[in-house]
Amino acid sequence: MNKKYYIIYLLVMIIGTLTYAQNQDPVATLVYYDDETSLIIYDDNNTELFPEFGMELTPGYSIDTGLSNVEIELQPNGTIVKLSPDTVFSIDALQGREQATSNTFSLVSGKMRAVAARAVGDESYTVKTQTAIAGVRGTDFAMQYTQGVVDATFVFDGLVEVTNLKTGTSVAVPTGKGVDTFGEVFQPTVWPAAKLSNLVENLDFESLSPDNVPGHEVSTEQKTGEEETPPEEPKTTVEEPTPEEPTPEEPATEEPTDQTIITEQPIDKTPGNTTTPEGGGMFAGFANLFDLEIGSMTVGETTYSKAIIQPRFVFGKLKLGLYLPIVYSKDILDPGNWYQPGGNNEWSFGSDQDNDYDLYTDLFQDLALKIRYLEYGDPQTDNFYLKFGNLKTMTIGDGFLMNNYANDIDFPAVRKVGINAGLKGKKAGMEAVVDDLGDPDIMGGRFSISPLWSGFELGYTVIADTDPIETIETMENKDPYGKPIMVGTSLDMSLINVQTSLFGFKLFVDGGTVIPYLKESMDNPSDNSQHLSNGFQTDYIYRDSKLYNWGAMTGAIGHIFIVDYRLDYRYGRNTFAFPYFNANYDRTKGKYIYQMYSYLSDPDNSEYDITTMGIYGESGINLFDAIRLSAGYLWPWEIDESDNLKTKDEDYFKLELSVKEGVIPVLGLYGSVSYERTYFIPTIQNKGNGKDLSLFDAFTAIKGEIVYPVTEGLDIAFMAGTTTLPDKENPDKIQTDSQKNPKIVPSYTIETRINF
């Protein structure tokens, strides 16, 4: 235990002892918290109180933890309660106080763990949510409640009777099992490792100890190891115990019954343990953490067979997934015949290189490609987060320069290993992004400070594409385009930022630009008579005491219960468009280079004297922690040099749907689909304005997956999407259409997944 909190705890106990000598009424004591700036305590008159160590909490008091972890202790019986961040919890009654016959609490939202004393009198405990009531005696258990999504109870040690308020049905949840009123069935089950890990996150006690709770003490022999505890005998319980059955502390001889009897082996009851008693033995902890995929992948007109091993590991907030593929067209035993994403032999590990630099570079890249993902923490809730690997979405700040950028747009045909990380404190924070460690092109970050009131924040972002002609050089001779770097920079300000589990609102303002930098002097490919010096092309953004090619954005981001939202207004001058780095950027970034050189050749051309405006709205909903649906649309319009207002073609549409396993009763199908596109309405109206548009061209990012669970541990999956078409003779290059856009072809994958 931290020394500071140990001393505070001792002082709390001394003060508590003196208090109870004069007043025997039970109370709850605030023993520990780690973020007093966001923790809010309300008394029985709903008056906000400043939290203090040792504060007495009586019936009618409530706690909104905000970003803080909180621990309280009931006195004199010794029961302890842990509340995770983003939890709202209230004390309704304390047994023995004002003639109350039970310790009664309400979990309004969030997560809690309680270790209830079992050796002092006849203590009774009740925890209420909007959809369930949990009756407890002498038990170590955890609960999680989010309105309309989850209402779950898991028992680490003891027995909890849970009543579904909607149906009136009650079930007894024994040690090692859990129940969810929003689950497919309302009965105790052994939870998958991932589900249990999600529940117990942030529920370990920091100051208080379960070993000190009456009835949960660890014996001297157990602590010192001087005497081995005899192994626990296997016990039998009926599959659906009733509330009238004896508790584990009062075993009774059961009469023979026609119900199915399940033999349960002793399990580790420690929160955070991910082993499960069913499925048995040493492999139980690996359930659903190891996949073997066997199937085919079609890219354009070529079909490949594949066998992919994907181990997955979960260590608390740390999640690691490996990707070990063998993809071949003819002979699996001939590595020279295996598929090479982007022309790279990912199994060579540098052996096909001619010099030391290329050897080590290729070795690092091939090793990195074996990591599908490495994740730690959550960007919305944790002070530190890390995403490494195939990243479906990367957003920096409010998304002014980079929003929903994906480095896996062509996965698995093309694979990249990127980084998105963040670190934030009370007064400062930072974010970083790299698109591909093996061959980094896009990189940058954001630094922020909070110098004034809570919720106020200033941020500065720089993100650069160091090789924006990558797409161009796969299409044609790159020499005319030189060696440009596109550098995006922006300032942002958050005026209000209020975030609770029930409501969130952030008001922001952003502004910035993207400026080209030339590594070498060159003639402008759009006008050979114009010579461009190396360095920043300042005329692109500032000349004649005026700003050009800049943009601004203001809006709000937040959530209301289970619905999240974003609404913003966007304003841009000349060629500026944002977010610059979007989901489809890797395919279409060549157009920015053409546009940049064209603008520099004739910046006063009236076609560039335009103002672009737009309103973007996005909303998503999570239903029962099982279905996620979100959609967004940008409606743009522009004012030309004659002050005429008209709708602009470059709108943006986004749609995402995901359904978890077990939601659809027919065949048990589950999966997800996402679709993002610019020029959406013009394509539907067949108004390409000279562009050959279709719903699945280079301006589209689409991915879909449908999974059919054949039996436990065996799934058949069908995945579909689009990818760029490699050149047959030079696989590191891509084919283009008549407008110099990448040729996009369908990509299909059918595979059998075997879960070990």
Side-chain angles (χ1 to χ4, degrees), residues 98-146:
E98 299 176 355
Q99 300 181 343
T101 58
S102 175
N103 298 290
T104 305
F105 312 106
S106 291
L107 181 61
V108 181
S109 64
K111 297 192 298 185
M112 64 165 285
R113 177 190 173 193
V115 183
R118 62 161 63 114
V120 180
D122 187 25
E123 277 80 14
S124 173
Y125 305 86
T126 301
V127 182
K128 300 183 294 183
T129 67
Q130 298 241 349
T131 58
I133 295 178
V136 184
R137 289 180 185 272
T139 295
D140 183 355
F141 69 103
M143 295 181 66
Q144 179 179 11
Y145 178 73
T146 302

Tab-separated table of all heavy atoms in Angstrom, residues 98-146:
chain	number	residue	atom	x	y	z
A	98	GLU	N	-31.632	4.006	11.829
A	98	GLU	CA	-33.018	4.412	11.573
A	98	GLU	C	-33.883	3.195	11.268
A	98	GLU	O	-34.712	3.201	10.357
A	98	GLU	CB	-33.062	5.422	10.411
A	98	GLU	CG	-32.289	6.697	10.698
A	98	GLU	CD	-32.256	7.638	9.503
A	98	GLU	OE1	-32.761	7.227	8.437
A	98	GLU	OE2	-31.737	8.752	9.627
A	99	GLN	N	-33.650	2.102	12.011
A	99	GLN	CA	-34.443	0.867	11.950
A	99	GLN	C	-34.363	0.164	10.592
A	99	GLN	O	-35.217	-0.670	10.271
A	99	GLN	CB	-35.907	1.160	12.299
A	99	GLN	CG	-36.097	1.741	13.697
A	99	GLN	CD	-37.548	2.002	14.030
A	99	GLN	OE1	-38.394	2.043	13.156
A	99	GLN	NE2	-37.830	2.162	15.328
A	100	ALA	N	-33.331	0.457	9.815
A	100	ALA	CA	-33.164	-0.226	8.530
A	100	ALA	C	-32.758	-1.673	8.771
A	100	ALA	O	-31.935	-1.975	9.637
A	100	ALA	CB	-32.119	0.482	7.683
A	101	THR	N	-33.326	-2.592	7.976
A	101	THR	CA	-33.051	-4.025	8.148
A	101	THR	C	-32.036	-4.541	7.135
A	101	THR	O	-31.731	-5.733	7.119
A	101	THR	CB	-34.353	-4.829	8.003
A	101	THR	OG1	-34.926	-4.570	6.708
A	101	THR	CG2	-35.335	-4.448	9.095
A	102	SER	N	-31.529	-3.665	6.266
A	102	SER	CA	-30.567	-4.094	5.259
A	102	SER	C	-29.699	-2.913	4.857
A	102	SER	O	-30.127	-1.754	4.936
A	102	SER	CB	-31.285	-4.642	4.020
A	102	SER	OG	-30.372	-4.949	2.990
A	103	ASN	N	-28.471	-3.201	4.461
A	103	ASN	CA	-27.627	-2.199	3.835
A	103	ASN	C	-28.037	-2.118	2.364
A	103	ASN	O	-27.862	-3.080	1.615
A	103	ASN	CB	-26.157	-2.590	3.944
A	103	ASN	CG	-25.685	-2.674	5.381
A	103	ASN	OD1	-25.563	-1.667	6.067
A	103	ASN	ND2	-25.412	-3.897	5.845
A	104	THR	N	-28.589	-0.991	1.970
A	104	THR	CA	-29.169	-0.871	0.630
A	104	THR	C	-28.454	0.226	-0.154
A	104	THR	O	-28.272	1.341	0.344
A	104	THR	CB	-30.667	-0.541	0.710
A	104	THR	OG1	-31.323	-1.523	1.504
A	104	THR	CG2	-31.288	-0.531	-0.685
A	105	PHE	N	-28.049	-0.123	-1.380
A	105	PHE	CA	-27.339	0.818	-2.238
A	105	PHE	C	-27.988	0.829	-3.624
A	105	PHE	O	-28.659	-0.129	-4.017
A	105	PHE	CB	-25.864	0.429	-2.371
A	105	PHE	CG	-25.202	0.126	-1.058
A	105	PHE	CD1	-24.901	-1.181	-0.698
A	105	PHE	CD2	-24.884	1.143	-0.181
A	105	PHE	CE1	-24.300	-1.468	0.507
A	105	PHE	CE2	-24.271	0.869	1.030
A	105	PHE	CZ	-23.981	-0.439	1.375
A	106	SER	N	-27.737	1.898	-4.377
A	106	SER	CA	-28.190	1.991	-5.764
A	106	SER	C	-26.979	2.250	-6.653
A	106	SER	O	-26.202	3.169	-6.393
A	106	SER	CB	-29.203	3.126	-5.942
A	106	SER	OG	-30.420	2.828	-5.288
A	107	LEU	N	-26.847	1.422	-7.673
A	107	LEU	CA	-25.828	1.633	-8.698
A	107	LEU	C	-26.529	2.277	-9.888
A	107	LEU	O	-27.177	1.596	-10.683
A	107	LEU	CB	-25.170	0.310	-9.081
A	107	LEU	CG	-24.056	0.379	-10.127
A	107	LEU	CD1	-22.895	1.236	-9.631
A	107	LEU	CD2	-23.567	-1.013	-10.509
A	108	VAL	N	-26.409	3.584	-10.007
A	108	VAL	CA	-27.096	4.331	-11.064
A	108	VAL	C	-26.429	4.087	-12.410
A	108	VAL	O	-27.093	3.920	-13.436
A	108	VAL	CB	-27.121	5.834	-10.731
A	108	VAL	CG1	-27.851	6.621	-11.820
A	108	VAL	CG2	-27.782	6.063	-9.376
A	109	SER	N	-25.106	4.032	-12.400
A	109	SER	CA	-24.341	3.721	-13.605
A	109	SER	C	-22.910	3.404	-13.204
A	109	SER	O	-22.451	3.798	-12.131
A	109	SER	CB	-24.366	4.894	-14.597
A	109	SER	OG	-23.725	6.023	-14.033
A	110	GLY	N	-22.213	2.669	-14.076
A	110	GLY	CA	-20.812	2.385	-13.820
A	110	GLY	C	-20.573	1.004	-13.250
A	110	GLY	O	-21.366	0.073	-13.449
A	111	LYS	N	-19.471	0.866	-12.481
A	111	LYS	CA	-19.055	-0.435	-11.971
A	111	LYS	C	-18.688	-0.345	-10.493
A	111	LYS	O	-18.148	0.662	-10.037
A	111	LYS	CB	-17.851	-0.978	-12.750
A	111	LYS	CG	-18.116	-1.234	-14.211
A	111	LYS	CD	-16.991	-2.046	-14.852
A	111	LYS	CE	-15.664	-1.332	-14.820
A	111	LYS	NZ	-14.617	-2.086	-15.544
A	112	MET	N	-18.962	-1.408	-9.760
A	112	MET	CA	-18.610	-1.491	-8.347
A	112	MET	C	-18.212	-2.914	-7.988
A	112	MET	O	-18.604	-3.875	-8.644
A	112	MET	CB	-19.780	-1.073	-7.459
A	112	MET	CG	-20.999	-1.987	-7.563
A	112	MET	SD	-22.207	-1.758	-6.238
A	112	MET	CE	-21.376	-2.554	-4.867
A	113	ARG	N	-17.406	-3.042	-6.947
A	113	ARG	CA	-17.100	-4.329	-6.345
A	113	ARG	C	-17.305	-4.187	-4.851
A	113	ARG	O	-16.913	-3.167	-4.259
A	113	ARG	CB	-15.666	-4.751	-6.638
A	113	ARG	CG	-15.270	-6.069	-5.960
A	113	ARG	CD	-13.781	-6.339	-6.075
A	113	ARG	NE	-13.382	-7.493	-5.298
A	113	ARG	CZ	-12.124	-7.811	-5.008
A	113	ARG	NH1	-11.134	-7.028	-5.431
A	113	ARG	NH2	-11.838	-8.882	-4.293
A	114	ALA	N	-17.897	-5.185	-4.224
A	114	ALA	CA	-18.107	-5.169	-2.777
A	114	ALA	C	-17.647	-6.491	-2.181
A	114	ALA	O	-17.885	-7.555	-2.749
A	114	ALA	CB	-19.577	-4.926	-2.445
A	115	VAL	N	-16.968	-6.392	-1.058
A	115	VAL	CA	-16.629	-7.567	-0.254
A	115	VAL	C	-17.406	-7.418	1.039
A	115	VAL	O	-17.055	-6.606	1.905
A	115	VAL	CB	-15.117	-7.666	0.003
A	115	VAL	CG1	-14.799	-8.935	0.775
A	115	VAL	CG2	-14.348	-7.641	-1.311
A	116	ALA	N	-18.496	-8.163	1.151
A	116	ALA	CA	-19.450	-7.995	2.246
A	116	ALA	C	-19.063	-8.876	3.429
A	116	ALA	O	-18.782	-10.065	3.265
A	116	ALA	CB	-20.859	-8.342	1.779
A	117	ALA	N	-19.031	-8.277	4.619
A	117	ALA	CA	-18.677	-9.022	5.827
A	117	ALA	C	-19.677	-10.141	6.061
A	117	ALA	O	-20.879	-9.980	5.869
A	117	ALA	CB	-18.631	-8.075	7.022
A	118	ARG	N	-19.176	-11.292	6.507
A	118	ARG	CA	-20.063	-12.427	6.740
A	118	ARG	C	-19.991	-12.962	8.166
A	118	ARG	O	-20.608	-13.974	8.467
A	118	ARG	CB	-19.712	-13.568	5.784
A	118	ARG	CG	-18.317	-14.141	5.930
A	118	ARG	CD	-18.203	-15.535	5.303
A	118	ARG	NE	-18.429	-15.507	3.889
A	118	ARG	CZ	-17.515	-15.789	2.960
A	118	ARG	NH1	-16.287	-16.119	3.330
A	118	ARG	NH2	-17.811	-15.752	1.698
A	119	ALA	N	-19.193	-12.287	9.027
A	119	ALA	CA	-18.985	-12.871	10.353
A	119	ALA	C	-19.485	-11.989	11.486
A	119	ALA	O	-19.223	-12.256	12.639
A	119	ALA	CB	-17.499	-13.168	10.571
A	120	VAL	N	-20.183	-10.909	11.193
A	120	VAL	CA	-20.660	-10.017	12.238
A	120	VAL	C	-22.184	-9.947	12.163
A	120	VAL	O	-22.737	-9.331	11.268
A	120	VAL	CB	-20.056	-8.599	12.086
A	120	VAL	CG1	-20.563	-7.697	13.191
A	120	VAL	CG2	-18.540	-8.673	12.097
A	121	GLY	N	-22.849	-10.604	13.086
A	121	GLY	CA	-24.298	-10.552	13.131
A	121	GLY	C	-24.947	-11.158	11.907
A	121	GLY	O	-24.413	-12.044	11.257
A	122	ASP	N	-26.122	-10.627	11.552
A	122	ASP	CA	-26.900	-11.147	10.425
A	122	ASP	C	-26.992	-10.065	9.354
A	122	ASP	O	-28.068	-9.594	9.007
A	122	ASP	CB	-28.286	-11.557	10.920
A	122	ASP	CG	-29.075	-12.264	9.818
A	122	ASP	OD1	-28.439	-12.834	8.910
A	122	ASP	OD2	-30.311	-12.231	9.876
A	123	GLU	N	-25.833	-9.652	8.821
A	123	GLU	CA	-25.808	-8.569	7.858
A	123	GLU	C	-26.505	-8.963	6.555
A	123	GLU	O	-26.366	-10.080	6.077
A	123	GLU	CB	-24.369	-8.142	7.548
A	123	GLU	CG	-23.784	-7.172	8.564
A	123	GLU	CD	-23.310	-7.906	9.804
A	123	GLU	OE1	-23.204	-9.142	9.750
A	123	GLU	OE2	-23.050	-7.248	10.821
A	124	SER	N	-27.229	-8.006	5.998
A	124	SER	CA	-27.912	-8.210	4.733
A	124	SER	C	-27.587	-7.026	3.831
A	124	SER	O	-27.514	-5.884	4.297
A	124	SER	CB	-29.425	-8.310	4.954
A	124	SER	OG	-30.112	-8.356	3.727
A	125	TYR	N	-27.409	-7.320	2.537
A	125	TYR	CA	-27.021	-6.283	1.600
A	125	TYR	C	-27.901	-6.376	0.358
A	125	TYR	O	-28.167	-7.472	-0.144
A	125	TYR	CB	-25.551	-6.425	1.184
A	125	TYR	CG	-24.597	-6.459	2.354
A	125	TYR	CD1	-24.322	-7.663	2.995
A	125	TYR	CD2	-23.987	-5.302	2.813
A	125	TYR	CE1	-23.456	-7.703	4.069
A	125	TYR	CE2	-23.118	-5.336	3.887
A	125	TYR	CZ	-22.856	-6.542	4.519
A	125	TYR	OH	-22.006	-6.583	5.589
A	126	THR	N	-28.310	-5.201	-0.145
A	126	THR	CA	-29.105	-5.135	-1.366
A	126	THR	C	-28.538	-4.041	-2.256
A	126	THR	O	-28.316	-2.917	-1.791
A	126	THR	CB	-30.583	-4.830	-1.058
A	126	THR	OG1	-31.109	-5.842	-0.203
A	126	THR	CG2	-31.390	-4.790	-2.343
A	127	VAL	N	-28.297	-4.385	-3.516
A	127	VAL	CA	-27.833	-3.402	-4.492
A	127	VAL	C	-28.869	-3.337	-5.610
A	127	VAL	O	-29.209	-4.359	-6.219
A	127	VAL	CB	-26.457	-3.762	-5.067
A	127	VAL	CG1	-25.999	-2.681	-6.044
A	127	VAL	CG2	-25.433	-3.933	-3.952
A	128	LYS	N	-29.348	-2.136	-5.891
A	128	LYS	CA	-30.409	-1.952	-6.875
A	128	LYS	C	-29.882	-1.211	-8.105
A	128	LYS	O	-29.073	-0.294	-8.002
A	128	LYS	CB	-31.564	-1.150	-6.260
A	128	LYS	CG	-32.215	-1.798	-5.052
A	128	LYS	CD	-33.398	-0.988	-4.556
A	128	LYS	CE	-32.967	0.362	-4.023
A	128	LYS	NZ	-34.110	1.133	-3.475
A	129	THR	N	-30.363	-1.654	-9.273
A	129	THR	CA	-30.196	-0.909	-10.517
A	129	THR	C	-31.597	-0.661	-11.077
A	129	THR	O	-32.594	-1.014	-10.439
A	129	THR	CB	-29.342	-1.678	-11.545
A	129	THR	OG1	-30.065	-2.847	-11.969
A	129	THR	CG2	-28.006	-2.103	-10.950
A	130	GLN	N	-31.680	-0.109	-12.256
A	130	GLN	CA	-32.998	0.163	-12.839
A	130	GLN	C	-33.701	-1.107	-13.275
A	130	GLN	O	-34.924	-1.125	-13.396
A	130	GLN	CB	-32.838	1.091	-14.048
A	130	GLN	CG	-32.258	2.436	-13.720
A	130	GLN	CD	-33.204	3.586	-14.057
A	130	GLN	OE1	-34.206	3.403	-14.716
A	130	GLN	NE2	-32.877	4.755	-13.571
A	131	THR	N	-32.947	-2.181	-13.505
A	131	THR	CA	-33.568	-3.393	-14.045
A	131	THR	C	-33.352	-4.634	-13.185
A	131	THR	O	-33.818	-5.711	-13.546
A	131	THR	CB	-33.037	-3.688	-15.461
A	131	THR	OG1	-31.615	-3.819	-15.412
A	131	THR	CG2	-33.406	-2.571	-16.420
A	132	ALA	N	-32.628	-4.502	-12.066
A	132	ALA	CA	-32.351	-5.691	-11.260
A	132	ALA	C	-32.127	-5.319	-9.803
A	132	ALA	O	-31.806	-4.172	-9.468
A	132	ALA	CB	-31.138	-6.443	-11.798
A	133	ILE	N	-32.301	-6.334	-8.933
A	133	ILE	CA	-31.979	-6.217	-7.516
A	133	ILE	C	-31.096	-7.393	-7.150
A	133	ILE	O	-31.414	-8.549	-7.457
A	133	ILE	CB	-33.243	-6.213	-6.635
A	133	ILE	CG1	-34.098	-4.974	-6.923
A	133	ILE	CG2	-32.867	-6.248	-5.160
A	133	ILE	CD1	-35.379	-4.928	-6.119
A	134	ALA	N	-29.969	-7.110	-6.495
A	134	ALA	CA	-29.056	-8.167	-6.055
A	134	ALA	C	-29.113	-8.267	-4.538
A	134	ALA	O	-28.877	-7.280	-3.835
A	134	ALA	CB	-27.639	-7.876	-6.515
A	135	GLY	N	-29.451	-9.462	-4.032
A	135	GLY	CA	-29.474	-9.722	-2.605
A	135	GLY	C	-28.218	-10.482	-2.206
A	135	GLY	O	-27.891	-11.517	-2.787
A	136	VAL	N	-27.514	-9.976	-1.186
A	136	VAL	CA	-26.181	-10.475	-0.882
A	136	VAL	C	-26.042	-10.765	0.604
A	136	VAL	O	-26.566	-10.032	1.438
A	136	VAL	CB	-25.110	-9.433	-1.294
A	136	VAL	CG1	-23.712	-9.978	-1.062
A	136	VAL	CG2	-25.291	-9.014	-2.734
A	137	ARG	N	-25.278	-11.831	0.901
A	137	ARG	CA	-24.849	-12.112	2.269
A	137	ARG	C	-23.422	-12.644	2.213
A	137	ARG	O	-23.177	-13.679	1.617
A	137	ARG	CB	-25.763	-13.142	2.948
A	137	ARG	CG	-27.146	-12.638	3.282
A	137	ARG	CD	-27.973	-13.730	3.945
A	137	ARG	NE	-29.339	-13.294	4.171
A	137	ARG	CZ	-29.764	-12.658	5.254
A	137	ARG	NH1	-28.909	-12.385	6.210
A	137	ARG	NH2	-31.020	-12.293	5.384
A	138	GLY	N	-22.489	-11.932	2.844
A	138	GLY	CA	-21.131	-12.420	2.971
A	138	GLY	C	-20.482	-12.818	1.670
A	138	GLY	O	-19.968	-13.932	1.535
A	139	THR	N	-20.460	-11.949	0.705
A	139	THR	CA	-20.050	-12.319	-0.650
A	139	THR	C	-19.076	-11.302	-1.221
A	139	THR	O	-19.147	-10.110	-0.911
A	139	THR	CB	-21.294	-12.409	-1.559
A	139	THR	OG1	-22.116	-13.473	-1.105
A	139	THR	CG2	-20.917	-12.674	-3.004
A	140	ASP	N	-18.154	-11.778	-2.065
A	140	ASP	CA	-17.274	-10.921	-2.855
A	140	ASP	C	-17.815	-10.937	-4.286
A	140	ASP	O	-17.793	-11.977	-4.951
A	140	ASP	CB	-15.842	-11.467	-2.799
A	140	ASP	CG	-14.844	-10.575	-3.551
A	140	ASP	OD1	-15.283	-9.611	-4.185
A	140	ASP	OD2	-13.635	-10.882	-3.494
A	141	PHE	N	-18.320	-9.789	-4.760
A	141	PHE	CA	-18.983	-9.756	-6.056
A	141	PHE	C	-18.746	-8.411	-6.730
A	141	PHE	O	-18.302	-7.446	-6.097
A	141	PHE	CB	-20.486	-9.999	-5.905
A	141	PHE	CG	-21.218	-8.863	-5.223
A	141	PHE	CD1	-21.981	-7.963	-5.958
A	141	PHE	CD2	-21.147	-8.689	-3.843
A	141	PHE	CE1	-22.648	-6.917	-5.343
A	141	PHE	CE2	-21.810	-7.643	-3.220
A	141	PHE	CZ	-22.564	-6.761	-3.967
A	142	ALA	N	-19.036	-8.346	-8.038
A	142	ALA	CA	-18.915	-7.104	-8.812
A	142	ALA	C	-20.165	-6.913	-9.648
A	142	ALA	O	-20.814	-7.885	-10.064
A	142	ALA	CB	-17.682	-7.133	-9.713
A	143	MET	N	-20.500	-5.642	-9.901
A	143	MET	CA	-21.662	-5.311	-10.713
A	143	MET	C	-21.305	-4.208	-11.700
A	143	MET	O	-20.449	-3.357	-11.427
A	143	MET	CB	-22.838	-4.858	-9.838
A	143	MET	CG	-23.393	-5.930	-8.929
A	143	MET	SD	-24.804	-5.354	-7.934
A	143	MET	CE	-26.036	-5.061	-9.217
A	144	GLN	N	-21.971	-4.231	-12.849
A	144	GLN	CA	-21.811	-3.191	-13.868
A	144	GLN	C	-23.190	-2.855	-14.422
A	144	GLN	O	-23.970	-3.744	-14.749
A	144	GLN	CB	-20.889	-3.651	-14.992
A	144	GLN	CG	-20.694	-2.614	-16.094
A	144	GLN	CD	-19.749	-3.082	-17.181
A	144	GLN	OE1	-19.375	-4.248	-17.234
A	144	GLN	NE2	-19.345	-2.185	-18.055
A	145	TYR	N	-23.459	-1.552	-14.540
A	145	TYR	CA	-24.760	-1.144	-15.082
A	145	TYR	C	-24.580	0.049	-16.010
A	145	TYR	O	-23.977	1.060	-15.654
A	145	TYR	CB	-25.731	-0.758	-13.967
A	145	TYR	CG	-27.073	-0.279	-14.514
A	145	TYR	CD1	-27.971	-1.193	-15.058
A	145	TYR	CD2	-27.404	1.067	-14.527
A	145	TYR	CE1	-29.181	-0.771	-15.592
A	145	TYR	CE2	-28.620	1.500	-15.056
A	145	TYR	CZ	-29.500	0.572	-15.589
A	145	TYR	OH	-30.692	0.987	-16.120
A	146	THR	N	-25.087	-0.090	-17.239
A	146	THR	CA	-25.225	1.000	-18.198
A	146	THR	C	-26.637	0.914	-18.755
A	146	THR	O	-27.035	-0.128	-19.277
A	146	THR	CB	-24.210	0.885	-19.343
A	146	THR	OG1	-22.886	0.881	-18.802
A	146	THR	CG2	-24.364	2.052	-20.305
